[in-house]
Amino acid sequence: MLPLALEVAVRLRFFFDDSKHLLPQNAALKNSALGQDAFVLATGPSIKDVDLSFLEGRDCFSVSNFFLHDQIDLINPRFHFFAPYHKPLILDEYIDWLSASDKELPPSTSIVLGTSTRSIVEDNDLFAGRKVYYLSLQKSGVGRKPDILKPVLAPYTSPIMTLALIHYMGYKRVFLLGCDHNVLKNYGGTVSNFYSPEKEMRSNATSGSNWDSGIISHLDIARNVFLQYDFYNSIFDSDGREMYQMSKDGWLDFIKYIDIKEFLK
């Protein structure tokens, strides 16, 4: 149970959020994929030079810069997620980034954003031809079981943003690809991804002032990333569902590992 004062504060914040009217449309997704498999596609280097054609026809949930992947049209993600704008990113670059993704993603891919991004989308006429869903992302006061008609956990990294929706839709198994989360081995330098650094449109996203807050801050962020994954992993497990990570060199060692070769047979 949440402390009463915290629960009241969260409920009041949600009540006065003028974006809450965006959430009822999410109800149509409830248990719409019961018993099926979901694949979360992030940008870690573990999927570099890996043939992902086995994902054709599967339910894929891509995030962030995955739209740069050479096989994006074949994979045809069902949903693509963007975490809200935050510093040290530059707002104009963030807007251009969203616009570029709209040109690269397959036409049938829906977009999922935080409600705080609504004004950016509307003011810049982004994703006009697509279905757009919104999540109310809160740092505290969320329920144990994800309900995307209410506030859900604000992610410390974009792949975590997918998990509330995947759970709500009733997927039985979740497979994490490119979710390496070992960026601290690149501390002070350029973070490795499956794509080349020159394709990165956002200054400070993978290098530069991205590290300015210092090692203690980044260790704390990494800890919170792992705790959030563990939170969702325990939820799926308690419901008799399964999460698997497919990055052999990744740091999600508390989530069951399955070799991607199992799908390439």
Side-chain angles (χ1 to χ4, degrees), residues 8 15 18 28 37 44 46 56 86-87 96 109 116 140-141 171 189 194 231 244 252 262:
V8 170
F15 179 79
D18 66 357
D37 291 343
S46 63
E56 183 178 10
H86 56 87
K87 293 183 178 180
D96 289 343
T109 300
S116 64
S140 61
Y171 285 95
F194 73 77
F231 171 75
Y244 295 93
L252 297 178
E262 293 295 318

Side-chain angles (χ1 to χ4, degrees), residues 82-102:
F82 290 103
Y85 166 76
H86 56 87
K87 293 183 178 180
L89 301 180
I90 298 169
L91 182 57
D92 286 345
E93 292 181 349
Y94 181 83
I95 294 170
D96 289 343
W97 181 57
L98 297 186
S99 180
S101 75
D102 197 16

